[in-house]
Amino acid sequence: MADRDAMRSEVERVWEFHQQRLHADIPPRYLLDRVAFSQAPPIRLAQCRDCTHLFRNPRERAEALESAYDDNTPDESVLQSLFDTQRAAYQQQVARLKQMAGKSGRGLEVGSYVGGFLAAARDAGWTFDGVDVSQGASEFAARNGFAVTRGTVESVSTQHPYDVVAIWNTFEQMYDSRSAVTGAHRLLRPGGMVVVRIPNGEFYLRWRARLGGSAAGMAERVLVHNNLLSFPYRQGFTEKSLTRLLRGAGFEIERVYGDTLVPVADRWTTLYGALEERAVKAVERLAQRQWRAPWVEVYARAK
């Protein structure tokens, strides 16, 4: 779908956009995660003609993926800042989770990182364990009193099945998503739920096609403010591909919430940049529903 030069060009465009729209003096290290998520952009994106799934081609090896996340742990002050920000941001996910489950319960977060969601869930009466491939992030979360182990969902074992397995902003980066949902099913009680939050591959394709037309300016803003312009993800799920994957692992989708990327404006962001981000996402929330939105949260129940 896009060769190496085209993908590099899109990364450069999003970098320039942030520099001009947000703050001319913003340090590059503060933009890295917004542009490339600590990894090189894909050489090429391909799409399955049958299930419409997007994926990197060629794929990295599983060992390379784990190493990429484990080798890029920020220092303590950055981890604390991320924890504070994510704890507040995840309150919305906790509220939705409680609405779907009907009551608080016991769960596992896959890709728990610094523990922001674990804290928000605990504040709402949930008991969540965590698992993450990053040793540094897992140790930080453990120092904050959370039960987090280093590993993957496939390596987790429990004598008491979970009510929920949550995979926020991690599912699209996994090496083997089929193995992950199969592992989640194994850990759940009968009727338990898996929930994934992912960037919408269909949304990316729809708006990327508009970059060369009369709506290019709007398309650029929509994609940039949802970290989709360079598509720094290993997979792009569509409604068809995710439905097929979950059903194959023994789940049935019950609810899909449309959403946007969490706010990223910070102390380096100009007032204009912060207001633009807020305006773009406000319009998206009004106009986009479920699989029309840039990000989606999918709740599925184990059969």
Side-chain angles (χ1 to χ4, degrees):
M1 181 174 301
D3 59 22
R4 185 192 300 268
D5 290 339
M7 293 307 300
R8 182 181 294 113
S9 176
E10 290 190 4
V11 170
E12 291 172 351
R13 286 179 65 181
V14 69
W15 191 281
E16 182 181 0
F17 181 95
H18 278 294
Q19 291 283 14
Q20 293 179 353
R21 297 283 177 180
L22 301 186
H23 201 294
D25 300 321
I26 186 170
R29 67 180 182 276
Y30 284 90
L31 283 176
L32 179 59
D33 225 33
R34 303 181 191 182
V35 176
F37 274 153
S38 305
Q39 68 218 13
I43 295 175
R44 184 179 292 107
L45 287 176
Q47 185 176 28
C48 175
R49 293 181 179 178
D50 181 26
C51 72
T52 69
H53 188 67
L54 289 170
F55 57 94
R56 287 188 176 210
N57 184 25
R59 299 174 66 199
E60 302 98 325
R61 294 184 178 182
E63 298 80 3
L65 301 191
E66 284 195 28
S67 177
Y69 284 100
D70 198 30
D71 292 344
N72 286 282
T73 303
D75 60 36
E76 189 80 8
S77 63
V78 176
L79 291 174
Q80 185 62 52
S81 177
L82 288 170
F83 174 81
D84 295 338
T85 301
Q86 292 179 9
R87 182 176 191 168
Y90 273 123
Q91 291 177 2
Q92 178 175 256
Q93 278 66 46
V94 172
R96 289 176 179 170
L97 184 59
K98 192 169 184 178
Q99 179 183 1
M100 291 296 301
K103 60 180 181 179
S104 300
R106 180 171 175 268
L108 172 74
E109 184 191 9
V110 181
S112 51
Y113 201 49
V114 294
F117 170 75
L118 302 179
R122 184 175 63 185
D123 293 342
W126 285 81
T127 301
F128 261 83
D129 300 331
V131 61
D132 198 280
V133 296
S134 170
Q135 181 173 348
S138 298
E139 291 175 349
F140 174 87
R143 288 196 296 272
N144 279 279
F146 299 106
V148 177
T149 58
R150 185 189 180 198
T152 64
V153 63
E154 294 90 344
S155 66
V156 174
S157 62
T158 179
Q159 295 181 341
H160 304 287
Y162 293 106
D163 298 305
V164 176
V165 173
I167 312 176
W168 311 111
N169 311 317
T170 301
F171 198 58
E172 69 281 355
Q173 301 287 20
M174 290 181 170
Y175 177 76
D176 190 341
S177 53
R178 185 177 302 277
S179 176
V181 293
T182 300
H185 195 281
R186 172 181 59 84
L187 296 169
L188 286 167
R189 63 169 175 78
M193 287 195 308
V194 65
V195 53
V196 297
R197 176 181 169 86
I198 53 174
N200 184 353
E202 290 174 305
F203 183 93
Y204 162 75
L205 290 173
R206 185 164 61 250
W207 282 92
R208 186 177 184 274
R210 299 174 181 175
L211 287 174
S214 59
M218 176 57 70
E220 184 175 61
R221 285 159 176 77
V222 165
L223 291 170
V224 164
H225 285 304
N226 285 286
N227 204 18
L228 291 173
L229 183 60
S230 62
F231 206 82
Y233 311 103
R234 295 182 169 86
Q235 303 181 73
F237 289 91
T238 65
E239 180 177 10
K240 185 176 181 179
S241 69
L242 187 61
T243 299
R244 179 181 294 189
L245 176 65
L246 290 173
R247 284 180 176 171
F251 292 98
E252 194 64 36
I253 294 176
E254 287 197 352
R255 184 71 179 269
V256 177
Y257 289 96
D259 204 354
T260 63
L261 184 69
V262 296
V264 298
D266 53 23
R267 65 190 178 92
W268 298 100
T269 308
T270 63
L271 177 60
Y272 175 85
L275 291 175
E276 181 179 271
E277 179 194 17
R278 188 177 302 176
V280 168
K281 291 179 177 177
V283 171
E284 287 170 345
R285 292 189 186 99
L286 290 173
Q288 308 293 346
R289 293 292 182 270
Q290 297 185 349
W291 284 97
R292 299 288 297 178
W295 286 71
V296 292
E297 291 175 16
V298 180
Y299 290 76
R301 195 170 298 275
K303 294 184 290 185

